[in-house]
Amino acid sequence: MHRFKNLPAHTALSLLIAYAIPSFCQTAYAQAADESAAASDTKAVLVTGSRIPRASKEGPTSVTVITGEDIEKQGYRNVFDALSSQTQNTGMTQGADFGNTFTPAANTISLRGLGPNHTLILLNGRRIADYPVAYDGSVNFVNLANIPSALVDRIEILNSGASAVYGSDAIAGVVNIITKKQVSGIDFNIKAGGTQHGGGSNQRIQLTGGGSSGNLSGVFGVELSRTQPVWSRQRDFMSSTSSDGTAPTRILSRQNVDSGKYVDPGATCSQLGNLFYDSVVRVQSKSGAYCGSGKAQPAFWTTMTQNESENLFGSLSYQLGAKTEVFSDLMLGFNATQNNTRGPSWTSEAVGNSYFFNQNSGANESWSRRISPEEIGAATRYNRKWNDVAANLTVGIRGDIPSTSSWNYEAAYNISAYTSRKTTPLLLNSVDSFFLGPRLGYDADGVAIYAPDPSRLSQPLTPAQFNSITGEAISRDKSWTQTLSLSANGELFNLPAGPVRLAAVTEFGSQGFSNTPDPQINQGVFYNQAAANGASGSRQRYALGTELNIPILKQLVATVAGRYDEYSFAGRNDGKFTYNTGLEFRPAKTLLFRGNYATSFRAPDMNYIYSSTTRGYYSSTTDYYRCQQAGQPLAGCDYNNYSPGANYIQTGSKDLKSENGKSWSYGAVWSPSSNFDISADFWRIQIDNLVTNLDPDTILHNEANCRNGELDPNSPTCVDALRRVQRNPANAIFNPNAIQNILVNPINAAQERTSGLDISGKWRIKAGGAGDFLLKANYTKVLSHHYKQFSDDPDTDELNSLTNADWGSKVNASVTWLRDKWTSTVQVTRYGSLPNADQTARVSPFALVNLSASYQISPQASISLIVNNVFNSVKQDNSAGWPYYLVGNYNPYGRQGWVEFNYHFGS
C-alpha cells in the first residue's frame, strides 16, 4: 500500500481510539435478519424496519432484498451499482463519475428522488460515518463507493419512512447492508475486465473465509481492486466540443477591452497547432479571431474515475454460555481516487478586473491561455487526488435475559470514522508575471500596467516551465460517529390470537466533522483562489424507543412504534417524537393486505449548521440570462457550461429547524406457492420545513425567467433569486452583466411531497430436462412530485418539470436459467423519460441489458463471463452541446465485460 505512505497502517485504528473519547453515541438499529437466507417460515427473523423477530419476512411495509449472489449474477460492479439500479432509486445524484462535483471520490443514492440525505444507510443495522465532505457542498451523506461486495450476505431496502424505529434521516427509506455471519472454508475470487472502446480496465481480487473452534467463530475478508479512468477523448461522440458545429473553445486570446474585439493572433495558432492532440486552429468570431480547440475540454475530463482500494473485514463471536454471546466486527477501507474535470487555465489579472493596461499597445487588454496536456507532460499531471481511510468497529454482548422464557437483550458500542485527504494542483500566483512580465504599477483607475511580450503567450510551455508555476493544495477532512445502545425484546403477554411482543431501545450518541483547507490558500500562494475557511462541529444525541407487535386476530396483526430523539448542537437542543402504525391482514395463507402510517424527522445537516462563510467558484456554470440576452440557443451559447464557473459565497445557519415528515403506504402480496409471488404497494411521502441549499443552476434558471417575465418578478421565488445573483453593471467596460457572485445559504423550505406505486413479482419455473427458470420484475412509477420553496409560492410540479433530472419510472426485469453446471442471467433495466440537457423537451425512455453466464468446473471451482450493456447503447443528447449525453443520469462507457474465476478451499 505504498500509496498511503503518509497514512500509517494503524491510522484507522488510531482514529477509532481518538474519536471514542468525546461522548457516547448511536444505535443498535434493526440488526440484520437471520444469518441464513433459507430460514424456514416458522423461524423468527429480524427484518429491516422492526426490532421484533417475526415468523414472516413480509410485514406492514415492503422490503426489497438484494442477495450477494444477485450482485454478481446481475452484472453489478459493486454495492453502489446494485443499489443505484433499484427501481426505488429514482433520483439523479452526482457521483464519482459525475465530473464537476464536490465529491467525485464518493457515490450515493436518492430514494424516491428526495436526495441522498433523506435515505438512512446502515451497516449491519448500525450507522456509519458520513463522508466528510458535503454532497454538492451542502448535505451530509454516506459514501457507498467503498463498501466491499465480498462479504455482503444481502442488502435490505425498507421502502418507507421509519424514524420511529431508526431516528433521524429515515424519511425516504432505509438501506441495511448485511454482511455474512457464517463462512466455512476459504473462497478465492478474481475478476478482470474493461470497456470495449478503451479505458476503464479493472481488476479485483477477493479472499473470504471463516470457521469455528469450540466456542469461538469468525469471518474474514479482503478485497483489492483497481480501476483505470475513462477519458472523454476516448469516446468518439464526445471527443470534441465542436463536433456539432459549436465554435472551438478558446485556448489563446488577446482582447481589446475598450473595443471588445480580439487582437488577431496571426500565425500563432499554427505554432500551437500540435497542442490538444493536434487540434488547435484559428477561429474567426464576430468579435475577431482567436486560437481554439474542440478538444480543450475533453482532453482533461474523466467520465470514470481512477480508483485503487483495499478493504478488510473481520468478525468474531464467542459463546460465553448456551445463551450468551460476545461479538465484535471491524471493517477498514483504504481508497485512492483520481479524477480530472478541467486543465490549467489562465486569465490576466483574474483576481482584479481580468484586464490590464498594455503599455506597448496603449490599450486595456485581457489575455487568456489554456495549457495543454502536451505542455505539462500528460493530462494526469493535473489530476485531483483523494486518499481516504474509513473504519468501523462494533463490540457487544447479547443473549437471553435470565429467568425469562422469551426475552433477550443486546448491549453494543459502535464507532465509525472517515478521513479524506484531497490534493489539488493549482497555478501559483506568479503566473501573471510568467505570461506578462513584471507589473509596472497601476494607472489612475487602479488598472494594473504591464509591458508584455506577446511571444510569451504564444510559446508552448515545457513541463519544467509548467512545474515552476504550479503547486499543490492539500485539504484534510474527517468525520466520525459513535453509539452506545441497549435493546431488548420479548413476549409481553398473551392474547387469544397470540403473544404481544415488545421491543425497546435506548441510545446515546455523538458525531462530528471537520474540514481543514490548505493554509497556503489564504496566504495568497495560488492564483485566483478565494479565501478558504475551515469548518467543524459536533452534536450529541440520546433516544428512547419502543415497538409493539399486537395480534388482534389470527388474521390481523398491528404494529405500533414510538421514539423520542433529542439532539444538542450549536448551543441549543432540538427534540422530536415520532411514531408509526402498521396493519397486516391475512384473509388467507396466500394473501396479505398491509398498510403503514409513519411520522419522521431529520435534524439539520451539520454542514448546514456549522459551515463558515466560504468563497469559491464552481467548476462550470451556465448563465441562462446572458444566453437569452445574446439570443443564442443553449447548445451554442458562449455562456453555456463555461469553465471555470461563477464565484459563490456560501454561509451556514445555526437557526435551522428540523424537518418534519410523514408517509403512508398500503398494498397487497399474493403468494399462492413458494414458486410465485406478486406485490403492489402505493406510497406517499411529505416533508415540511425542508432544509435545502438552493442549487446554483436552479437559482440562475429562476433568475433568468424572472428577468424575462416568464415568472412573476414580485413572487417570493423571484425576489429571492434576484437577490442571490450579483452581476456586473450593464454598462461595465468589461464583461457587462457577468455574474460576480451567487449567494448560497440553507433555508427551511415550505414543503416537498411525492407519491408513487411499486410492483414486484417472482416466478420460479421447473422445466425438467430444460432446467429451472427464475423470473423477477420490479417496477416503480412516480405518480406525483411537488415542491414549493416558500409557503406563498404556488406548487411546482417536479414530476413534469423540464428542470428536474429525476426519473418518473423505472423497471428491472431478469431471467435466470439454471441447468446442471450452467447458470445464466439476463438483466434488463428500463429508465423512464427525462428532460433533455437544454431543458426544452423530453428524451425518450432508455433500456440497458446485462448478461452473465457461469459454469461450475468442479465442486470447488467456477468461471463466469459478465457483459454489461450488451447492445453497446449510449443515450446521447446534443440539445445543450458537449458532452452530448445526460451527465449523472447515464454513462458514456458503452459495452463492458469481465471474466471471473472462483475457487473454494475446504468442505
Side-chain angles (χ1 to χ4, degrees), residues 450-788:
Y450 293 88
D453 179 359
S455 66
R456 293 288 288 175
L457 190 65
S458 59
Q459 183 67 33
L461 276 65
T462 66
Q465 287 176 315
F466 177 76
N467 290 338
S468 72
I469 57 172
T470 306
E472 288 184 340
I474 299 176
S475 63
R476 292 175 170 84
D477 307 293
K478 59 186 178 182
S479 64
W480 53 270
T481 184
Q482 55 179 341
T483 301
L484 179 66
S485 63
L486 176 64
S487 62
N489 70 78
E491 295 180 4
L492 197 60
F493 55 85
N494 287 305
L495 292 176
V500 174
R501 296 182 175 91
L502 179 141
V505 65
T506 180
E507 302 166 0
F508 300 90
S510 63
Q511 64 182 132
F513 81 105
S514 66
N515 301 137
T516 306
D518 193 317
Q520 295 182 97
I521 294 174
N522 293 336
Q523 295 166 4
V525 172
F526 302 112
Y527 156 79
N528 195 28
Q529 292 297 304
N533 298 316
S536 64
S538 63
R539 65 186 181 190
Q540 290 72 46
R541 176 184 61 84
Y542 79 84
L544 293 169
T546 187
E547 181 182 355
L548 284 168
N549 182 273
I550 308 168
I552 301 172
L553 302 170
K554 287 289 186 182
Q555 299 85 5
L556 181 64
V557 178
T559 301
V560 180
R563 178 181 172 116
Y564 180 80
D565 289 80
E566 181 162 307
Y567 282 81
S568 299
F569 57 88
R572 65 188 179 96
N573 295 334
D574 191 2
K576 181 68 176 177
F577 176 76
T578 54
Y579 66 91
N580 72 27
T581 60
L583 284 175
E584 306 162 55
F585 177 53
R586 290 180 169 82
K589 186 178 180 180
T590 60
L591 183 62
L592 166 66
F593 293 102
R594 59 189 174 192
N596 172 273
Y597 176 83
T599 61
S600 54
F601 87 106
R602 175 173 172 78
D605 290 273
M606 287 194 294
N607 185 75
Y608 281 144
I609 297 167
Y610 293 109
S611 177
S612 57
T613 299
T614 305
R615 294 175 180 270
Y617 61 89
Y618 297 107
S619 299
S620 63
T621 299
T622 296
D623 192 336
Y624 299 97
Y625 176 60
R626 294 186 79 187
C627 287
Q628 292 174 0
Q629 273 196 318
Q632 298 174 344
L634 206 57
C637 178
D638 297 336
Y639 313 108
N640 175 33
N641 200 31
Y642 66 87
S643 177
N647 295 327
Y648 66 81
I649 301 175
Q650 181 170 302
T651 57
S653 173
K654 295 183 178 180
D655 298 323
L656 292 170
K657 296 176 287 186
S658 291
E659 300 172 351
N660 299 316
K662 53 187 176 184
S663 62
W664 55 92
S665 64
Y666 53 86
V669 182
W670 182 47
S671 182
S673 75
S674 60
N675 292 323
F676 181 88
D677 63 69
I678 187 170
S679 66
D681 292 272
F682 171 83
W683 49 266
R684 189 180 191 276
I685 303 171
Q686 178 173 313
I687 308 174
D688 296 311
N689 288 327
L690 178 72
V691 179
T692 181
N693 214 1
L694 299 180
D695 176 66
D697 190 70
T698 300
I699 293 172
L700 291 173
H701 207 272
N702 287 340
E703 182 236 10
N705 291 336
C706 294
R707 290 183 182 275
N708 67 22
E710 187 172 327
L711 295 177
D712 179 4
N714 297 315
S715 68
T717 293
C718 283
V719 171
D720 183 73
L722 294 171
R723 176 186 65 83
R724 291 180 182 275
V725 182
Q726 300 175 341
R727 293 183 177 274
N728 286 340
N731 58 355
I733 295 176
F734 186 63
N735 275 340
N737 286 318
I739 299 170
Q740 291 181 343
N741 291 298
I742 301 175
L743 307 182
V744 182
N745 66 278
I747 62 170
N748 278 102
Q751 189 184 92
E752 184 169 12
R753 62 188 190 277
T754 182
S755 66
L757 182 66
D758 293 337
I759 299 175
S760 65
K762 179 184 69 178
W763 186 16
R764 185 184 300 274
I765 303 171
K766 296 183 181 297
D772 293 348
F773 295 87
L774 177 62
L775 285 68
K776 291 183 179 179
N778 295 277
Y779 170 67
T780 293
K781 172 65 176 175
V782 181
L783 300 176
S784 68
H785 191 172
H786 295 276
Y787 172 84
K788 57 181 177 182

Side-chain angles (χ1 to χ4, degrees), residues 296-297 299-301 340-346 370-371 376 379 382 643:
Q297 287 181 264
F300 284 100
W301 189 292
N340 204 318
T341 59
R342 66 181 184 280
S345 178
W346 168 78
R370 285 180 181 258
I371 302 173
I376 68 178
Y382 218 64
S643 177

Side-chain angles (χ1 to χ4, degrees), residues 257 347-357 364-366 442-443 445-448 728 733-735:
V257 173
T347 298
S348 56
E349 286 290 318
V351 177
N353 45 25
S354 298
Y355 66 93
F356 64 95
F357 179 76
N364 290 318
E365 294 186 10
S366 176
Y442 295 89
D443 67 11
D445 295 324
V447 177
N728 286 340
I733 295 176
F734 186 63
N735 275 340

